[in-house]
Every structure is written in C-alpha cells, then in structure tokens.
Amino acid sequence: MARNITPKEEDYSQWYLDVIKVAELADYAPVRGCMVIRPWGYAIWESIQSQLDARFKETGHVNAYFPLLIPASFLEKEAEHVEGFSPECAVVTHAGGEELEEPFVIRPTSETVIGYMYSRWVQSWRDLPVLINQWCNVMRWEKRPRLFLRTSEFLWQEGHTAHATKEEAIDETLKMLEVYRSFMEEVLALPVVTGEKSEGERFPGALNTYTCEAMMSDKRALQVGTSHFLGQNFSKAFDISFQNRDGNMDYAWTTSWGTSTRLIGAVIMTHSDDDGLVLPPRLAPVKAVLVPISTDERKLEDMLLPKARELANRLEAVLGPRSVIVDSQFHLRPGDRFFYHLQRGIPLRLELGEREWDRCALRAVRRDTAQKEEIPWDAVDSAVPRILEEMQRALYERALAFREANTYHAGSFDEFKELLEEKGGFIKAYFAGGVAEEKAIKEATTATVRCLPLNDNSKGRCFYTKKDGGRLAIFAKAY
RNA sequence: CGGGGCGUAGCGCAGUCUGGUUUAGCGCACCUGCUUUGGGAGCAGGGGGUCGAAGGUUCAAAUCCUUUCGCCCCGACCA
C-alpha cells in the first residue's frame, strides 16, 4: 500500500492531486491556473495524440496550424460566441513596447480565425469539403483551475470542417463523435455515453453540440470530447460563401470538434487506485518494465541484466519501439523499484530474479489486479501481449460495470433529488424543459443535464415539468 | 468574484494566541559509509530553511500591525 498517497475514500480531490504528483505527470507553474506537463505526463499526451491523429487521418482530415493571436473584433462577429467566450479571454493589449490599436485575444478556440481563412479559401463547391484539424494550445481564464481537468492554458486538438450541405456537415459532426467514442473506449478503456447537449449546455455559436460523457470513480460526470454542428452561423459571420453546382451563391455548413489534455484527468480518475496511476496498456507509453533482482551484483550485471535486455528487445519487436524498459536502479531495493513503476502506472512488471533464472522464466505482475503469472522466456512474445490485452479489456469492463451500477432512473423530481443525494452517479429521466428549467434544477441540486443520449428516441412524461413527450436525459454532478 | 482554510528545508508539520529561553525544531525525502535486498530496510554520520513578499511597531519579530502575492477546499463560470 502506498504511503504517500491520500486514500480515495478519505479525500478524493487530494487523492487525485497526489496521484499526479507521485506519478510525476504535472506540476504547478508560476502562473496561476497554468501547469507544467512533465515528461511522463507528456508521453501520455503524445500517445493520445498519435493514436487520435491516425484516426483523424483515416477519416480524411489533414493538419494545419493557425495563429495563437486573434483580432479581438473577430470574436464579436458571432453574437453567442462572443457572449460565451469573452468572459474567459486573455487579451494582449501591448506589443513592441506600444499599445496596440486593436487588442489581440489569445485563442480560447479558433472558429473565428479559421472562419476568416476559410472564407478566403472557399469559392466554389469544388473547394469543399475542407477537413482541417489543428493540435495546439488554447487559453481560457478559468475561475477554478484543476490540474488536467481545467487549467487556464491547455493542449487540445480542434477540427474545423466546412461542407456544401447541411446533411454532410451533420454527418461529419456525428462521425467525429464516433471517432472520439471508439478511441476513448478502445484506447483509454473509458466507457462513454454519447449524446446531444441540452440547450443550456451548448457550445456558444453552435446549432447543436454532441458530447462524450464519462463517469469518474467518484461518480461525477466529465465531458471528455465534443463535436459541434455550427450550421451556417460562422460561415455567415465570416462569409464562407461559395458558388454551388447550380451557379447560386450559398453559405458553407461548418463543424468543429475537440478533445483535450483533460483526457489524462479522465484516465486518472477512471482507472487509478490508492497505489497511484493505472494506465490502460494501449495508452501506456511504456507497457512493461523488466526488473532484474538479485543480491549478487555480479549476477545482476553478468546474467540478469543482459537477459532482461534481450527479452526487452524481443518484446519491443512485438509491442513497439521504446514500449519496454529495463529497470537498472540497482541502488534501490526491489520494493522501492516496484513502487516506482507501480505509481507511474506501467501496466506490467516483469520480474527476473534468480528464482526465475533457474526456471528460464519471468514473473509477470499486472498493475491493476496485482495478479501474478509465470512466463517462460520463449513464450514472452505471445504471453505479454495477451496479458496486456486482458488488462485493457478488464479495465474497460470494470469501468463500464461501475457506471452501470451507478446509473439510476428517476420518474419524479422528488425521486431525482433522493437518488442524487443518496446514490449520486448518473440519473436518467425524461425531460421536456428548456434553459429555465435546467437552470432551476441546477440551482436546486447542482446537477446538470449531461446529455440526451443518442440511440434512444423514447419519449416519456417529464420528471420535472410533468409534460408529455420528454426526451431521455442523463443528469449528474459534473466537473 | 463570494465563503472557509493555509503559506516555516523537496514533502508533511510543530513553534505564532502569551514577542526574547531556538545559533528556528521534528518526521519523511536527500548525501556518505557499513550491513541489507522478491511489496516501500537498519545503524552511524552529514547537507539543506531566515520562517510567502513588502512595509511598519519594538532594544528585540516566524511570532504584533498594514498591505500584497500565492495555494487548497466549497459555490457561481467552463473542454
């Protein structure tokens, strides 16, 4: 049992911060609300980046880079957009030792500059669709920062597409939501509910926002990815117009979609335990660590270490370059070395001591369950990937079972309040209210509409307004 | 931005109320040596802080006063 981590049960927030600290994922920066992503944390982000990026490329998108600074006037061109974002914008007023004529906003998101550029690039229906993504940082001056979940500056990816027709843009919006869902479930082992955002939770300027919502291990909800159907709002504001096949002028239909370093927070809060970080194997930058153990220094150097390196090389041929490390911190005792890797969430520890040596084997210990298994040397190539995949699946199944076990249905507001107070978690209920009702529910309970799940078109009597024809909604307390 | 808590060594804290008795102390971590070594070792020796910052009161301030910065928790705002 780790002794430098506050147990989850004792103080969840502190546990979360402790895990980040002992796993060396991030640290506080000198500027309030900003964080330094340390090498191990950044390696996780790179893993997310490369795997998501591949999926974007597979769906026809290309990467580009748009500037950090946006003319302040751009934000104002879309009414809802400026209202939504101006409170959290950082503004540059001086540069080159002089006050600027027009201040620049540090991008909180890039719909506006990208809209401006698209209007110059798009003339004809033949120029569409435009399918561009960018990996970058954005800044939103948050009142209450939390490492990874809500920092003033964060890293993300924002896809921006423009299409000739409404249908195509809607298809794109849903397609990317699906890319997120599959990535989160397959790589992050993060079960998510996909759905539509309610009116009150919609992206400022969007006609419709779709979301991936996940349940953290304290039963609170976290929005881990969003995809927006922007209609023609931005194309009208920035004049992304084109001549269609019939020769008539038309405004493009645009979408945007994003996910961020918040995903790292989601992974921590979904899988980790009181011993520290737990990483799903497909996400983990390092999937296994070989730990030679002996009291005899010569055996370590002459037999165990070379063997460990040989096995690591063989494993890397199967698992990928730099995915296996050999621990040679021989100045530490085995327990210390175990804990070091345990806290950093490396999925599999492969011990090679004299006992294993004599049997031509390794002792594998799974990070999530501490389950032990002996693997003969000549079976590592098949056994290790097998165990990793078992662990990957187990993490997903466990998280899914947790979510299912903490999802309830409420038929009335009284029942809703009771469930929320006594059980927490996700509460499904038919809802027919609007922004005003959402707000009232939030004020009374602090719970919000997380989404209106897709693939459920059932209608029912609204738990709050008692009106018929309510759509199924998921409510929860959220981060 | 409102309410609450807190800034003393890398981390966690004691000392602050009742200024001087501390050349500011303890645990963990760190360094050196020896013994150890399969889920966080033991002994011995050692290094490190001027008490968040600025100003003030006083013969004397970590301790009192003022201002300021930052962090954490709870709310309103959000990926």
Side-chain angles (χ1 to χ4, degrees):
Chain A
M1 184 58 68
R3 54 189 188 199
N4 51 357
I5 298 178
T6 306
K8 241 188 231 196
E9 289 299 318
E10 195 181 308
D11 183 343
Y12 195 85
S13 306
Q14 195 53 52
W15 165 81
Y16 175 75
L17 294 169
D18 287 347
V19 170
I20 289 171
K21 188 175 173 184
V22 303
E24 299 179 347
L25 299 178
D27 205 347
Y28 293 102
V31 175
R32 179 192 152 76
C34 293
M35 67 172 168
V36 173
I37 303 178
R38 301 181 65 181
W40 186 233
Y42 200 78
I44 295 169
W45 178 237
E46 286 178 317
S47 175
I48 289 173
Q49 232 180 348
S50 63
Q51 298 186 68
L52 248 189
D53 198 64
R55 291 169 189 244
F56 295 156
K57 302 274 170 62
E58 275 165 30
T59 43
H61 302 85
V62 290
N63 286 329
Y65 185 78
F66 295 85
L68 173 74
L69 299 177
I70 299 177
S73 60
F74 277 28
L75 271 284
E76 288 153 21
K77 293 195 179 187
E78 213 289 333
E80 284 182 32
H81 196 66
V82 65
E83 195 185 323
F85 280 107
S86 55
E88 49 190 76
C89 280
V91 182
V92 178
T93 56
H94 290 72
E98 284 171 32
E99 188 167 350
L100 295 165
E101 255 180 62
E102 184 190 351
F104 298 131
V105 167
I106 298 177
R107 64 179 161 221
T109 178
S110 304
E111 275 74 7
T112 58
V113 237
I114 293 180
Y116 173 84
M117 295 312 298
Y118 281 10
S119 75
R120 300 171 50 161
W121 296 342
V122 175
Q123 322 289 334
S124 140
W125 63 274
R126 292 179 201 278
D127 297 326
L128 295 171
V130 182
L131 305 172
I132 293 180
N133 175 65
Q134 84 164 334
W135 290 94
C136 65
N137 57 344
V138 285
M139 181 159 272
R140 298 179 186 179
W141 215 255
E142 300 293 349
K143 309 280 185 204
R144 210 178 143 189
R146 257 162 102 48
L147 292 179
F148 289 114
L149 300 180
R150 196 181 302 99
T151 45
S152 294
E153 181 189 6
F154 59 94
L155 303 183
W156 79 343
Q157 131 305 289
E158 48 179 327
H160 294 269
T161 69
H163 307 262
T165 66
K166 179 180 180 181
E167 293 66 36
E168 204 184 305
I170 292 174
D171 283 351
E172 167 78 7
T173 309
L174 293 170
K175 181 202 281 176
M176 298 322 286
L177 184 73
E178 180 57 21
V179 166
Y180 286 146
R181 189 199 61 74
S182 63
F183 167 76
M184 289 167 190
E185 298 193 345
E186 290 164 16
V187 178
L188 308 182
L190 203 67
V192 296
V193 177
T194 53
E196 196 180 324
K197 278 293 186 190
S198 63
E199 209 183 328
E201 298 278 329
R202 207 171 278 158
F203 176 79
L207 293 190
N208 217 331
T209 288
Y210 296 89
T211 176
C212 294
E213 296 286 327
M215 183 189 287
M216 302 296 101
S217 59
D218 64 347
K219 303 179 196 170
R220 288 175 74 178
L222 184 71
Q223 177 177 312
V224 282
T226 49
S227 187
H228 314 292
F229 170 56
L230 303 173
Q232 293 176 311
N233 287 351
F234 286 89
S235 59
K236 283 180 180 164
F238 289 91
D239 191 31
I240 312 174
S241 57
F242 66 98
Q243 199 166 15
N244 63 28
R245 288 168 206 249
D246 313 321
N248 301 318
M249 293 306 287
D250 209 347
Y251 285 110
W253 299 81
T254 66
T255 82
S256 68
W257 26 274
T259 192
S260 70
T261 37
R262 171 179 275 191
L263 284 173
I264 297 174
V267 166
I268 297 168
M269 288 199 290
T270 300
H271 303 306
S272 300
D273 59 26
D274 288 348
D275 284 334
L277 187 63
V278 175
L279 290 173
R282 291 187 197 164
L283 171 66
V286 171
K287 302 183 195 316
V289 55
L290 273 142
V291 189
I293 303 161
S294 174
T295 54
D296 185 331
E297 224 167 290
R298 280 192 50 197
K299 282 185 180 165
L300 271 176
E301 295 291 346
D302 299 344
M303 302 168 19
L304 301 172
L305 191 56
K307 189 71 198 174
R309 291 203 168 118
E310 179 205 317
L311 291 168
N313 284 336
R314 267 176 53 198
L315 274 174
E316 286 195 338
V318 187
L319 298 173
R322 286 174 296 284
S323 62
V324 180
I325 55 173
V326 176
D327 178 303
S328 57
Q329 305 175 84
F330 299 140
H331 60 285
L332 299 177
R333 282 159 308 102
D336 294 310
R337 295 158 70 197
F338 294 170
F339 266 84
Y340 176 78
H341 302 293
L342 202 63
Q343 295 194 320
R344 294 161 67 92
I346 294 179
L348 199 61
R349 181 173 79 236
L350 300 168
E351 301 173 11
L352 177 59
E354 291 177 51
R355 291 207 292 261
E356 287 77 25
W357 177 271
D358 293 338
R359 310 233 286 266
C360 296
L362 291 174
R363 186 189 197 220
V365 186
R366 241 170 81 166
R367 173 60 182 87
D368 59 331
T369 56
Q371 218 169 81
K372 295 162 183 72
E373 183 175 331
E374 187 168 287
I375 306 174
W377 292 342
D378 41 17
V380 287
D381 325 57
S382 59
V384 168
R386 189 204 77 229
I387 297 172
L388 291 173
E389 277 308 298
E390 282 168 6
M391 176 173 166
Q392 180 80 30
R393 197 172 327 119
L395 287 178
Y396 177 78
E397 296 296 340
R398 202 175 53 108
L400 181 62
F402 181 82
R403 188 186 78 196
E404 299 292 304
N406 290 290
T407 300
Y408 305 93
H409 195 285
S412 69
F413 193 43
D414 283 340
E415 195 184 347
F416 180 91
K417 284 187 284 194
E418 197 182 311
L419 280 168
L420 198 66
E421 189 150 323
E422 287 172 16
K423 306 283 193 181
F426 284 3
I427 300 175
K428 292 184 173 180
Y430 289 105
F431 183 58
V435 179
E437 285 77 18
E438 281 183 46
K439 211 173 166 189
I441 293 168
K442 186 178 180 182
E443 268 166 30
T445 66
T446 77
T448 49
V449 187
R450 299 323 302 156
C451 70
L452 313 170
L454 296 178
N455 311 320
D456 190 322
N457 296 314
S458 63
K459 299 272 179 184
R461 193 175 140 91
C462 176
F463 83 107
Y464 190 74
T465 63
K466 310 285 185 209
K467 282 190 281 192
D468 283 325
R471 284 183 64 180
L472 190 70
I474 293 179
F475 288 81
K477 296 188 182 187
Y479 275 100

